[in-house]
């Protein structure tokens, strides 16, 4: 059997939910309840479901942006939940996220070059400024943006261009896994189609594995090799 790139077993996550403004106690609401999945290298696993079914919570659990109440996650054959310090940073270098909102996910005070270079500064501090700049420009070119984009601010770009910047930020480390959380839901249909085509092209170019979070079946039909459904 081939070892999965990412494997989750019986993940659970709950949040406290107040019973009302005058309640003295709170109850737990399950956002993710007993989810298991395997994700293999090179494939696109789409997680679909209605709003509120726990898709984004699952994505954040799998990238360890939040901690599960119980369950296990293995990435690259290693226990992701047990990793600490340098080991955790090394694993996170190989998993990156593309967020739903291209307007809110970019720091408006930073130029594009600084936004895309930020993961390099965190995970590859040994690189000098020239080396970082070369990697940034190479990645911007891969997502269809020219070198002039590096000197501009996010507000100078359209929504589709901002999402390309977000994708460049995710790809600059050349990760093995990209988690795309509703990557085109904030875009109009024609621009969203261009971003989906770009994601397909980049998957082939960089041998990427995708975990795609979506509620849109046409999006899933275009990108996914397998589909998992979350309900209630």
């Amino acid at each position: 059997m081939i070892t999965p790139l990412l494997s989750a077993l019986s993940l659970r996550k709950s949040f406290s939910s107040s019973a009302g403004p005058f309640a003295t106690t709170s109850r737990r609401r399950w956002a993710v309840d007993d989810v298991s999945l395997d994700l293999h290298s090179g494939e696109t696993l789409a997680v679909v479901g209605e709003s509120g079914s726990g898709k984004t919570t699952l994505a954040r659990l799998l990238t360890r942006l939040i901690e599960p109440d119980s369950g296990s996650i293995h990435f690259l054959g290693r226990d992701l939940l047990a990793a600490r310090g340098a080991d955790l940073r090394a694993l996170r270098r190989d998993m990156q996220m593309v967020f739903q909102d291209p307007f809110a996910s970019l720091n408006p005070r930073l130029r594009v070059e600084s936004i895309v270079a930020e993961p390099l500064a965190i995970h590859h501090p040994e690189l000098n400024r020239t080396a970082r700049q070369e990697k940034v420009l190479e990645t911007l070119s891969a997502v269809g943006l020219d070198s002039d984009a590096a000197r501009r601010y996010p507000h100078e770009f359209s929504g589709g261009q901002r999402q390309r910047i977000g994708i460049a930020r995710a790809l600059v480390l050349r990760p093995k896994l990209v988690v795309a959380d509703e990557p085109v839901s904030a875009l109009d249909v024609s621009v969203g189609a261009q971003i989906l085509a770009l994601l397909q092209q980049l998957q082939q170019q960089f041998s990427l594995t995708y975990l795609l979070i979506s509620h849109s079946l046409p999006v899933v039909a275009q990108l996914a090799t397998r589909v998992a459904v979350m309900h209630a």
Side-chain angles (χ1 to χ4, degrees):
M1 294 292 290
I2 299 175
T3 302
L5 179 71
L6 176 72
S7 180
L9 181 63
S10 299
L11 284 182
R12 288 182 168 90
K13 180 65 179 178
S14 63
F15 298 97
S16 62
S17 176
S18 174
F22 303 106
T24 57
T25 60
S26 62
R27 56 188 178 87
R28 305 297 294 182
R29 179 177 62 83
W30 289 101
V32 171
D33 187 10
D34 195 22
V35 170
S36 300
L37 58 83
D38 287 338
L39 179 60
H40 294 273
S41 294
E43 74 171 342
T44 298
L45 174 62
V47 178
V48 302
E50 61 200 1
S51 296
S53 60
K55 303 186 301 296
T56 294
T57 300
L58 176 63
R60 292 177 180 273
L61 289 171
L62 294 175
T63 52
R64 208 176 157 190
L65 294 177
I66 57 176
E67 301 288 331
D69 294 350
S70 61
S72 64
I73 305 171
H74 285 79
F75 180 58
L76 296 174
R78 299 165 66 183
D79 188 341
L80 181 63
L81 299 179
R84 298 289 186 274
D87 288 339
L88 179 58
R89 284 194 299 274
L91 289 172
R92 279 185 166 154
R93 187 167 59 234
D94 282 321
M95 56 165 57
Q96 295 294 308
M97 199 160 181
V98 176
F99 297 94
Q100 176 178 1
D101 189 345
F103 300 94
S105 62
L106 303 179
N107 189 333
R109 298 184 178 182
L110 295 181
R111 297 182 190 272
V112 167
E113 180 179 348
S114 297
I115 291 172
V116 178
E118 188 173 23
L120 292 172
I122 295 170
H123 293 284
H124 291 290
E126 75 281 2
L127 295 177
N128 59 34
R129 182 177 179 180
T130 299
R132 284 201 304 268
Q133 187 178 49
E134 288 177 357
K135 287 184 175 294
V136 167
L137 295 179
E138 178 186 342
T139 308
L140 287 175
S141 176
V143 301
L145 295 172
D146 59 32
S147 59
D148 290 340
R151 297 187 291 273
R152 296 158 63 190
Y153 290 92
H155 73 267
E156 300 179 62
F157 296 90
S158 67
Q161 289 172 322
R162 292 187 203 192
Q163 194 61 294
R164 290 174 186 267
I165 295 167
I167 293 170
R169 177 178 57 189
L171 291 188
V172 75
L173 292 173
R174 301 297 184 264
K176 293 180 172 61
L177 170 65
V178 172
V179 178
D181 184 8
E182 301 274 12
V184 298
S185 64
L187 307 174
D188 64 43
V189 175
S190 61
V191 175
Q194 294 172 16
I195 296 299
L196 293 179
L198 174 65
L199 289 172
Q200 288 180 303
Q201 171 193 323
L202 293 170
Q203 184 172 36
Q204 296 176 357
Q205 183 176 351
F206 296 111
S207 301
L208 297 172
T209 303
Y210 288 145
L211 180 70
L212 173 67
I213 307 296
S214 183
H215 66 269
S216 170
L217 293 182
V219 168
V220 169
Q222 182 170 340
L223 287 183
T225 50
R226 287 194 299 130
V227 178
V229 180
M230 295 187 72
H231 178 62

